[in-house]
């Protein structure tokens, strides 16, 4: 008979009838027979006489004692019901499990030559009967006994407090975690590993032992992971003021782990692909992913472990926030522009598709069938964008103040997404009531923007409409608080000033903003740095996009403009091809792209990151031989491989000579004597971002994503003069206000 899972509803949450303050685990490992003795201190919460109900799956129950006396109990529907308990008591449960037969890879399982655990979301109930819910936090002490020859390394959460050998060839190690944690963060690993050891000195002067365990023979591939861990620990101290709290931090890398990684308190378990890097074969992406994932799991120490979720509907509380933190870590240590582009491509691609599909759900869902089935891009990636919007609205200082209040207020607690937003609101003084809708509403909002310029009054107006299409789970949508980051430029690309470089707060279905003191219609950079996970509809002209591509202060905006221009070019040429018309690419676009490739001030990662794995444009030093008059070209004697290709070779080129692109898109020369060039031969041929190439007919191939651009209460905000542009949702905001950015809906 098929068992149909029951729906679980967020609003059906009730606080537990009992809690467990402390648990001692005595685990004797055997492949097919592992014995678990769990001794817990249980306390009744509230004035009730309910029985104690504990969850358990695939367990053989041997005994149940209450205050060392046989308990009155029954087992039914994977629950252990203990009757007539006192308000506070010691509970001892002895169970037997079969790790080798645990094909679910949840709880304690045997894979290959090692034991391992995975307890998130509800795996601990496969180890012993327990209050397997994240809002029950206990201090764990764990004693592990196993055959010493086969399992010389025995690991669990916390600090090592004792160890010893037995006469029967077994040995034991005892661990103690001084901080209360939910059972989903419990971890146990037993096996034979190589270990890389190091130390880290915290900002308070404590020395933390670092141990990285890998399969035998892989030690030489683990050094980048150790370096990434130390960078993560230092960065969290510097950026967030959060210091590691235990005496030891451990990472175990195994091939058989069924997830990417798991942030178990002090004992992170990783799939080996996110730890090991062979210097002879690892790619830049491999190194980046290792650094990112190790950072992510470490950052959970505070955002997920010390402060955890009240229930699993609040999953984005820890995951969205920690993804934001690992993105900031990667951006602070690497290229912020490249990392932002990478993250936005995930949102615009698979996450937007998830929003529009049959499984659409908010970042905090209201209904689930199974607690393990919503570890989704929406919860993680869109969840991080919601945190980023908070950061955009509040600014770095107020956001950090909110983080400090959140930690001080909720350390050692299981809380909700609302608790996090409330801490941000209380610390900043900014009303975030409307912003909370992001947690409850699914789908991708669409911002439709129109503009107008009044030359007589030197006034520029933006008219913004927001609309979220119906989704499979929600037919009716409400207006959201959307931070729209903008900047204004003149037609020549001149920056109009910081007073027009601001975040417009969209609160209603329809809003208008006025910018005064402007003498000509500006070029507006909309949704700078992708300030909100929305689709944008605005009728950019080619000339406006070229201005943004060439002059925008935001590297992301420049990239986005390039993608839009290239996509427009591709679509136009597809139509031309189908209509048997000539293919065409704008000479001015080629000029601008060539300028970007030569821009010494541009983030070099943006040029180097032009490769999407299908092709890469790069500037390379080469050695030129003699000029072949018949072929009308130079021979390159050194600097190229057989598989390399040069596009649009031209005569008259000499080593060290600069090349330029004329207005018609053709190559010309400058600095015949070599000038200040670095000896690089410029390929000013129009090849650009992500493998975009041009064939002999001018057809463009580009594999990049593109932004979507096209050409009720109404409020108007007036912005200009010395105003910093912080918009209030009133009918009119006068120019030059002294508003400090705090928004009051």
């Amino acid at each position: 008979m098929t068992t149909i899972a029951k729906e679980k509803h967020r609003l059906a949450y009730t606080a537990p009838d009992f809690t467990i303050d402390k648990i001692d685990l005595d685990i004797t490992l055997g492949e097919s027979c592992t014995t678990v003795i769990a001794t817990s201190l249980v306390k009744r919460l509230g004035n009730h006489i309910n029985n104690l109900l504990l969850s358990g799956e695939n367990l053989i129950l041997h005994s149940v004692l209450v205050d060392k006396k046989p308990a009155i109990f029954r087992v039914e529907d994977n629950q252990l019901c203990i009757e007539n308990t006192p308000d506070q008591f010691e509970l001892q449960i002895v169970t037997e499990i079969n790790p080798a037969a645990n094909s679910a890879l949840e709880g304690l399982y045997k894979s290959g030559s090692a034991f391992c655990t995975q307890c998130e979301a509800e795996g601990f109930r496969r180890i012993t009967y327990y209050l397997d819910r994240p809002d029950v936090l206990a201090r764990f002490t764990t004693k592990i006994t196993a055959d010493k020859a086969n399992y010389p390394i025995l690991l669990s959460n916390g600090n090592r407090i004792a160890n010893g050998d037995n006469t029967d060839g077994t040995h034991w190690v005892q661990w103690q975690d001084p901080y209360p944690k939910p059972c989903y963060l419990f971890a146990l690993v037993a096996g034979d590993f190589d270990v890389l050891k190091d130390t880290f000195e915290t900002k308070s002067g404590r020395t933390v032992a670092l141990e990285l365990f890998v399969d035998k023979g892989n030690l030489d591939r683990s050094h980048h992971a150790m370096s990434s861990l130390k960078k993560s620990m230092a960065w969290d101290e510097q950026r967030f003021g959060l210091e590691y709290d235990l005496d030891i931090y451990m990472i175990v890398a195994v091939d058989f782990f069924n997830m990417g990684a798991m942030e178990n308190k002090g004992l992170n378990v990783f799939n080996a692909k996110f730890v090991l890097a062979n210097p002879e074969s690892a790619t830049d992406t491999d190194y980046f992913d290792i650094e990112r994932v190790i950072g992510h799991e470490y950052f959970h120490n505070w955002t997920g472990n010390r402060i955890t979720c009240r229930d699993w509907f609040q999953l984005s509380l820890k995951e969205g926030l920690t993804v934001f933190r690992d993105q900031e870590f990667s951006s602070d240590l690497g290229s912020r522009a490249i990392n932002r582009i990478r993250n936005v491509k995930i949102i615009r691609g698979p996450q937007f598709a998830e929003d529009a599909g049959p499984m659409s759900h908010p970042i905090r869902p209201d209904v689930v069938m199974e607690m393990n089935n919503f570890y989704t891009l929406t919860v993680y990636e869109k969840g991080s964008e919601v945190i980023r919007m908070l950061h955009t609205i509040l600014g770095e200082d107020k956001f950090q103040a909110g983080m400090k209040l959140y930690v001080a207020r909720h350390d050692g607690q299981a809380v909700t997404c609302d608790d996090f937003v409330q801490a941000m609101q209380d610390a900043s003084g900014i009303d975030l009531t409307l912003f909370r809708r992001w947690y409850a509403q699914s789908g991708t909002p669409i911002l439709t923007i129109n503009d107008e310029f009044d030359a007589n009054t030197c006034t520029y107006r933006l008219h913004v409409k927001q609309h979220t299409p119906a989704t499979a789970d929600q037919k009716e949508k409400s207006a959201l608080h959307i931070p729209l980051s903008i900047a204004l430029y003149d037609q020549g690309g001149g920056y109009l000033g910081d007073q027009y470089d601001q975040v417009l707060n969209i609160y209603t279905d329809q809003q208008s903003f006025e910018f005064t003191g402007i003498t000509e219609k500006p070029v507006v950079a909309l949704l700078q740095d992708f300030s909100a996970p929305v689709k944008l509809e605005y009728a950019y002209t080619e000339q406006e996009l070229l201005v943004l591509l060439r002059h925008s202060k935001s590297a992301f905006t420049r990239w986005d403009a390039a993608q839009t221009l290239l996509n427009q070019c591709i679509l136009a040429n597809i139509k031309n091809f189908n209509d048997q018309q000539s293919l065409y690419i704008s000479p001015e676009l080629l000029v601008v792209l060539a300028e970007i490739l030569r821009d010494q001030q541009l983030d070099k990662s943006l040029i180097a990151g032009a490769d999407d794995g299908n092709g890469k444009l790069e500037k390379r030093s080469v050695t030129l031989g003699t000029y072949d008059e018949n072929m009308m070209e130079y021979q390159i004697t050194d600097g190229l491989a057989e598989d390399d290709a040069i596009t649009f070779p031209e005569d008259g080129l000499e080593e060290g000579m600069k090349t330029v692109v004329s207005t018609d898109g053709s190559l010309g020369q400058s600095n015949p004597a070599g000038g200040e060039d670095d000896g690089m031969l410029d390929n000013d041929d129009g090849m650009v971002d992500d493998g975009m190439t041009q064939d002999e007919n001018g057809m463009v191939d580009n594999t990049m994503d593109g932004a979507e651009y096209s050409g009720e209460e109404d409020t108007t905000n007036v912005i200009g003069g010395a105003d910093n542009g912080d918009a209030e949702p009133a009918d009119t905001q006068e120019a030059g206000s002294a508003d400090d950015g705090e928004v009051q809906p």
Side-chain angles (χ1 to χ4, degrees), residues 505-545:
N505 289 284
I506 313 301
Y507 299 100
T508 60
D509 294 335
Q510 224 168 263
Q511 279 179 248
S512 296
F513 300 87
E514 290 187 356
F515 303 84
T516 60
I518 299 175
T519 57
E520 65 174 353
K521 186 178 185 299
V523 177
V524 57
L526 294 167
L527 206 66
Q528 294 187 112
D529 297 317
F530 199 66
S531 59
V534 302
K535 295 181 179 180
L536 182 64
E537 293 181 348
Y538 177 76
Y540 274 114
T541 66
E542 179 180 313
Q543 188 58 42
E544 289 172 332
L545 290 169

Short mmCIF file of all heavy atoms in Angstrom, two decimals, residues 505-545:
data_model
loop_
_atom_site.label_atom_id
_atom_site.label_comp_id
_atom_site.label_asym_id
_atom_site.label_seq_id
_atom_site.Cartn_x
_atom_site.Cartn_y
_atom_site.Cartn_z
N ASN A 505 12.69 53.87 -3.77
CA ASN A 505 11.91 52.85 -3.08
C ASN A 505 10.52 52.79 -3.67
O ASN A 505 9.73 53.73 -3.56
CB ASN A 505 11.86 53.15 -1.59
CG ASN A 505 13.20 52.90 -0.91
OD1 ASN A 505 13.58 51.77 -0.66
ND2 ASN A 505 13.91 53.98 -0.61
N ILE A 506 10.22 51.66 -4.31
CA ILE A 506 8.92 51.44 -4.94
C ILE A 506 8.04 50.71 -3.94
O ILE A 506 8.38 49.62 -3.47
CB ILE A 506 9.06 50.61 -6.24
CG1 ILE A 506 10.20 51.15 -7.12
CG2 ILE A 506 7.74 50.56 -6.98
CD1 ILE A 506 10.02 52.58 -7.53
N TYR A 507 6.88 51.30 -3.61
CA TYR A 507 5.98 50.72 -2.62
C TYR A 507 4.62 50.34 -3.19
O TYR A 507 3.94 49.50 -2.63
CB TYR A 507 5.72 51.72 -1.48
CG TYR A 507 6.93 52.13 -0.71
CD1 TYR A 507 7.55 53.35 -0.97
CD2 TYR A 507 7.44 51.35 0.31
CE1 TYR A 507 8.64 53.76 -0.24
CE2 TYR A 507 8.54 51.75 1.04
CZ TYR A 507 9.14 52.95 0.76
OH TYR A 507 10.24 53.35 1.48
N THR A 508 4.20 51.00 -4.25
CA THR A 508 2.84 50.86 -4.73
C THR A 508 2.83 50.35 -6.17
O THR A 508 3.88 50.22 -6.81
CB THR A 508 2.08 52.20 -4.66
OG1 THR A 508 2.77 53.17 -5.47
CG2 THR A 508 2.04 52.70 -3.22
N ASP A 509 1.63 50.07 -6.67
CA ASP A 509 1.50 49.59 -8.04
C ASP A 509 2.06 50.58 -9.05
O ASP A 509 2.55 50.19 -10.11
CB ASP A 509 0.04 49.29 -8.36
CG ASP A 509 -0.50 48.12 -7.56
OD1 ASP A 509 0.31 47.27 -7.12
OD2 ASP A 509 -1.72 48.06 -7.33
N GLN A 510 1.98 51.87 -8.72
CA GLN A 510 2.36 52.91 -9.65
C GLN A 510 2.98 54.08 -8.88
O GLN A 510 2.40 54.57 -7.92
CB GLN A 510 1.10 53.40 -10.39
CG GLN A 510 1.22 53.61 -11.80
CD GLN A 510 -0.05 53.82 -12.52
OE1 GLN A 510 -0.59 52.90 -13.08
NE2 GLN A 510 -0.52 55.04 -12.59
N GLN A 511 4.15 54.50 -9.29
CA GLN A 511 4.82 55.64 -8.68
C GLN A 511 5.55 56.44 -9.73
O GLN A 511 5.99 55.88 -10.75
CB GLN A 511 5.81 55.19 -7.60
CG GLN A 511 5.20 54.88 -6.26
CD GLN A 511 6.22 54.41 -5.25
OE1 GLN A 511 6.21 53.26 -4.83
NE2 GLN A 511 7.09 55.30 -4.83
N SER A 512 5.67 57.73 -9.48
CA SER A 512 6.42 58.61 -10.36
C SER A 512 7.47 59.37 -9.55
O SER A 512 7.26 59.69 -8.38
CB SER A 512 5.50 59.61 -11.07
OG SER A 512 4.58 58.93 -11.92
N PHE A 513 8.58 59.63 -10.20
CA PHE A 513 9.67 60.35 -9.58
C PHE A 513 10.09 61.49 -10.48
O PHE A 513 10.21 61.31 -11.71
CB PHE A 513 10.87 59.42 -9.32
CG PHE A 513 10.55 58.26 -8.42
CD1 PHE A 513 10.04 57.07 -8.95
CD2 PHE A 513 10.76 58.34 -7.06
CE1 PHE A 513 9.74 56.00 -8.13
CE2 PHE A 513 10.47 57.26 -6.23
CZ PHE A 513 9.95 56.09 -6.77
N GLU A 514 10.30 62.67 -9.92
CA GLU A 514 10.75 63.83 -10.66
C GLU A 514 12.16 64.21 -10.26
O GLU A 514 12.50 64.24 -9.07
CB GLU A 514 9.82 65.02 -10.43
CG GLU A 514 8.45 64.87 -11.04
CD GLU A 514 7.63 66.15 -10.94
OE1 GLU A 514 8.12 67.12 -10.31
OE2 GLU A 514 6.51 66.19 -11.48
N PHE A 515 12.99 64.51 -11.27
CA PHE A 515 14.36 64.94 -11.05
C PHE A 515 14.50 66.33 -11.65
O PHE A 515 14.29 66.53 -12.86
CB PHE A 515 15.33 63.97 -11.73
CG PHE A 515 15.19 62.54 -11.27
CD1 PHE A 515 14.23 61.70 -11.84
CD2 PHE A 515 15.98 62.03 -10.28
CE1 PHE A 515 14.09 60.39 -11.42
CE2 PHE A 515 15.85 60.72 -9.85
CZ PHE A 515 14.90 59.91 -10.42
N THR A 516 14.84 67.30 -10.84
CA THR A 516 14.91 68.69 -11.27
C THR A 516 16.34 69.14 -11.51
O THR A 516 17.29 68.48 -11.09
CB THR A 516 14.25 69.60 -10.22
OG1 THR A 516 14.95 69.45 -8.97
CG2 THR A 516 12.79 69.23 -10.04
N GLY A 517 16.46 70.26 -12.19
CA GLY A 517 17.78 70.83 -12.44
C GLY A 517 18.55 70.13 -13.53
O GLY A 517 19.78 70.15 -13.53
N ILE A 518 17.85 69.55 -14.51
CA ILE A 518 18.47 68.82 -15.61
C ILE A 518 18.18 69.54 -16.92
O ILE A 518 17.04 69.86 -17.23
CB ILE A 518 17.95 67.36 -15.65
CG1 ILE A 518 18.31 66.65 -14.34
CG2 ILE A 518 18.52 66.61 -16.84
CD1 ILE A 518 17.74 65.27 -14.22
N THR A 519 19.21 69.80 -17.70
CA THR A 519 19.07 70.65 -18.88
C THR A 519 18.78 69.89 -20.17
O THR A 519 18.42 70.49 -21.18
CB THR A 519 20.34 71.49 -19.07
OG1 THR A 519 21.48 70.62 -19.17
CG2 THR A 519 20.53 72.44 -17.88
N GLU A 520 18.97 68.59 -20.19
CA GLU A 520 18.64 67.78 -21.37
C GLU A 520 18.18 66.41 -20.91
O GLU A 520 18.43 66.01 -19.77
CB GLU A 520 19.85 67.64 -22.30
CG GLU A 520 21.01 66.86 -21.71
CD GLU A 520 22.14 66.61 -22.70
OE1 GLU A 520 21.98 66.92 -23.88
OE2 GLU A 520 23.18 66.07 -22.28
N LYS A 521 17.47 65.72 -21.80
CA LYS A 521 16.99 64.40 -21.44
C LYS A 521 18.17 63.51 -21.10
O LYS A 521 19.07 63.30 -21.92
CB LYS A 521 16.19 63.78 -22.59
CG LYS A 521 15.54 62.44 -22.22
CD LYS A 521 14.72 61.88 -23.36
CE LYS A 521 13.98 60.63 -22.98
NZ LYS A 521 14.86 59.51 -22.55
N PRO A 522 18.20 62.93 -19.89
CA PRO A 522 19.34 62.11 -19.49
C PRO A 522 19.21 60.68 -19.97
O PRO A 522 18.15 60.23 -20.40
CB PRO A 522 19.28 62.19 -17.96
CG PRO A 522 17.80 62.30 -17.66
CD PRO A 522 17.22 63.11 -18.79
N VAL A 523 20.31 59.97 -19.85
CA VAL A 523 20.32 58.52 -20.02
C VAL A 523 20.27 57.91 -18.62
O VAL A 523 21.12 58.21 -17.79
CB VAL A 523 21.57 58.04 -20.78
CG1 VAL A 523 21.58 56.52 -20.86
CG2 VAL A 523 21.61 58.67 -22.16
N VAL A 524 19.29 57.09 -18.37
CA VAL A 524 19.09 56.55 -17.03
C VAL A 524 19.60 55.11 -16.97
O VAL A 524 19.30 54.27 -17.82
CB VAL A 524 17.60 56.61 -16.62
CG1 VAL A 524 16.71 55.87 -17.60
CG2 VAL A 524 17.41 56.10 -15.20
N ALA A 525 20.42 54.86 -15.96
CA ALA A 525 20.85 53.49 -15.66
C ALA A 525 19.88 52.92 -14.65
O ALA A 525 19.81 53.39 -13.51
CB ALA A 525 22.27 53.48 -15.11
N LEU A 526 19.11 51.93 -15.05
CA LEU A 526 18.08 51.35 -14.23
C LEU A 526 18.52 50.01 -13.65
O LEU A 526 19.22 49.24 -14.30
CB LEU A 526 16.80 51.15 -15.05
CG LEU A 526 16.10 52.41 -15.54
CD1 LEU A 526 15.05 52.07 -16.58
CD2 LEU A 526 15.45 53.16 -14.37
N LEU A 527 18.09 49.76 -12.43
CA LEU A 527 18.36 48.48 -11.76
C LEU A 527 19.86 48.23 -11.67
O LEU A 527 20.33 47.13 -11.97
CB LEU A 527 17.64 47.33 -12.48
CG LEU A 527 17.30 46.09 -11.65
CD1 LEU A 527 16.27 46.43 -10.59
CD2 LEU A 527 16.77 44.96 -12.54
N GLN A 528 20.61 49.24 -11.25
CA GLN A 528 22.05 49.10 -11.11
C GLN A 528 22.39 47.95 -10.18
O GLN A 528 21.76 47.77 -9.12
CB GLN A 528 22.67 50.38 -10.56
CG GLN A 528 22.58 51.59 -11.48
CD GLN A 528 23.38 52.73 -10.91
OE1 GLN A 528 24.42 53.12 -11.46
NE2 GLN A 528 22.92 53.30 -9.80
N ASP A 529 23.39 47.18 -10.59
CA ASP A 529 23.83 46.03 -9.80
C ASP A 529 22.71 45.05 -9.49
O ASP A 529 22.77 44.29 -8.53
CB ASP A 529 24.51 46.48 -8.50
CG ASP A 529 25.77 47.28 -8.76
OD1 ASP A 529 26.54 46.90 -9.64
OD2 ASP A 529 25.97 48.31 -8.10
N PHE A 530 21.66 45.10 -10.32
CA PHE A 530 20.51 44.21 -10.14
C PHE A 530 19.99 44.34 -8.71
O PHE A 530 19.99 43.40 -7.92
CB PHE A 530 20.89 42.76 -10.45
CG PHE A 530 19.71 41.85 -10.73
CD1 PHE A 530 18.92 42.04 -11.83
CD2 PHE A 530 19.43 40.80 -9.90
CE1 PHE A 530 17.83 41.21 -12.09
CE2 PHE A 530 18.35 39.96 -10.16
CZ PHE A 530 17.55 40.17 -11.24
N SER A 531 19.53 45.54 -8.38
CA SER A 531 19.17 45.88 -7.01
C SER A 531 17.92 45.16 -6.51
O SER A 531 17.62 45.24 -5.31
CB SER A 531 18.97 47.40 -6.89
OG SER A 531 17.95 47.86 -7.77
N ALA A 532 17.21 44.47 -7.38
CA ALA A 532 16.05 43.68 -6.96
C ALA A 532 15.85 42.54 -7.97
O ALA A 532 16.10 42.72 -9.16
CB ALA A 532 14.79 44.54 -6.88
N PRO A 533 15.38 41.37 -7.53
CA PRO A 533 15.16 40.23 -8.44
C PRO A 533 13.87 40.40 -9.23
O PRO A 533 12.86 39.74 -8.96
CB PRO A 533 15.12 39.03 -7.49
CG PRO A 533 14.58 39.60 -6.20
CD PRO A 533 15.13 41.00 -6.12
N VAL A 534 13.92 41.28 -10.19
CA VAL A 534 12.75 41.62 -10.99
C VAL A 534 13.12 41.61 -12.47
O VAL A 534 14.30 41.63 -12.84
CB VAL A 534 12.21 43.02 -10.62
CG1 VAL A 534 11.86 43.08 -9.14
CG2 VAL A 534 13.22 44.12 -10.96
N LYS A 535 12.09 41.58 -13.31
CA LYS A 535 12.26 41.79 -14.74
C LYS A 535 12.00 43.26 -15.04
O LYS A 535 11.11 43.88 -14.45
CB LYS A 535 11.32 40.90 -15.54
CG LYS A 535 11.62 39.40 -15.40
CD LYS A 535 10.67 38.58 -16.25
CE LYS A 535 10.98 37.10 -16.11
NZ LYS A 535 10.05 36.26 -16.96
N LEU A 536 12.77 43.80 -15.96
CA LEU A 536 12.69 45.22 -16.27
C LEU A 536 12.19 45.42 -17.69
O LEU A 536 12.72 44.82 -18.64
CB LEU A 536 14.06 45.87 -16.10
CG LEU A 536 14.17 47.37 -16.35
CD1 LEU A 536 13.36 48.15 -15.33
CD2 LEU A 536 15.64 47.79 -16.31
N GLU A 537 11.18 46.25 -17.84
CA GLU A 537 10.68 46.64 -19.15
C GLU A 537 10.88 48.13 -19.31
O GLU A 537 10.22 48.95 -18.67
CB GLU A 537 9.21 46.27 -19.30
CG GLU A 537 8.94 44.76 -19.31
CD GLU A 537 7.48 44.41 -19.47
OE1 GLU A 537 6.63 45.31 -19.36
OE2 GLU A 537 7.19 43.23 -19.70
N TYR A 538 11.81 48.49 -20.18
CA TYR A 538 12.11 49.89 -20.49
C TYR A 538 12.68 49.95 -21.90
O TYR A 538 13.56 49.16 -22.26
CB TYR A 538 13.10 50.47 -19.49
CG TYR A 538 13.51 51.90 -19.80
CD1 TYR A 538 12.66 52.96 -19.53
CD2 TYR A 538 14.75 52.17 -20.39
CE1 TYR A 538 13.03 54.27 -19.82
CE2 TYR A 538 15.13 53.47 -20.68
CZ TYR A 538 14.25 54.51 -20.41
OH TYR A 538 14.62 55.81 -20.71
N ALA A 539 12.18 50.89 -22.71
CA ALA A 539 12.55 50.97 -24.12
C ALA A 539 13.86 51.73 -24.30
O ALA A 539 13.86 52.91 -24.70
CB ALA A 539 11.43 51.61 -24.92
N TYR A 540 14.98 51.08 -24.01
CA TYR A 540 16.27 51.68 -24.27
C TYR A 540 16.52 51.78 -25.77
O TYR A 540 16.24 50.84 -26.52
CB TYR A 540 17.39 50.84 -23.66
CG TYR A 540 17.71 51.12 -22.21
CD1 TYR A 540 17.48 50.16 -21.23
CD2 TYR A 540 18.27 52.34 -21.83
CE1 TYR A 540 17.78 50.41 -19.90
CE2 TYR A 540 18.58 52.59 -20.50
CZ TYR A 540 18.33 51.63 -19.54
OH TYR A 540 18.64 51.88 -18.23
N THR A 541 17.07 52.90 -26.20
CA THR A 541 17.56 53.00 -27.56
C THR A 541 18.97 52.44 -27.63
O THR A 541 19.66 52.31 -26.61
CB THR A 541 17.59 54.46 -28.05
OG1 THR A 541 18.57 55.20 -27.28
CG2 THR A 541 16.22 55.11 -27.90
N GLU A 542 19.40 52.13 -28.85
CA GLU A 542 20.76 51.64 -29.02
C GLU A 542 21.78 52.67 -28.52
O GLU A 542 22.76 52.31 -27.86
CB GLU A 542 21.04 51.30 -30.48
CG GLU A 542 22.48 50.81 -30.73
CD GLU A 542 22.76 50.47 -32.18
OE1 GLU A 542 21.93 49.76 -32.79
OE2 GLU A 542 23.79 50.92 -32.69
N GLN A 543 21.53 53.95 -28.80
CA GLN A 543 22.47 54.98 -28.39
C GLN A 543 22.56 55.08 -26.87
O GLN A 543 23.63 55.27 -26.30
CB GLN A 543 22.06 56.34 -28.98
CG GLN A 543 23.09 57.45 -28.76
CD GLN A 543 24.45 57.10 -29.32
OE1 GLN A 543 24.56 56.56 -30.42
NE2 GLN A 543 25.51 57.39 -28.57
N GLU A 544 21.43 54.95 -26.18
CA GLU A 544 21.43 54.99 -24.72
C GLU A 544 22.21 53.81 -24.14
O GLU A 544 22.97 53.97 -23.19
CB GLU A 544 20.00 55.00 -24.19
CG GLU A 544 19.27 56.31 -24.44
CD GLU A 544 17.80 56.24 -24.09
OE1 GLU A 544 17.21 55.13 -24.17
OE2 GLU A 544 17.21 57.29 -23.76
N LEU A 545 22.02 52.65 -24.72
CA LEU A 545 22.75 51.48 -24.24
C LEU A 545 24.25 51.64 -24.48
O LEU A 545 25.08 51.22 -23.66
CB LEU A 545 22.23 50.22 -24.93
CG LEU A 545 20.82 49.78 -24.50
CD1 LEU A 545 20.30 48.69 -25.43
CD2 LEU A 545 20.82 49.28 -23.07
#
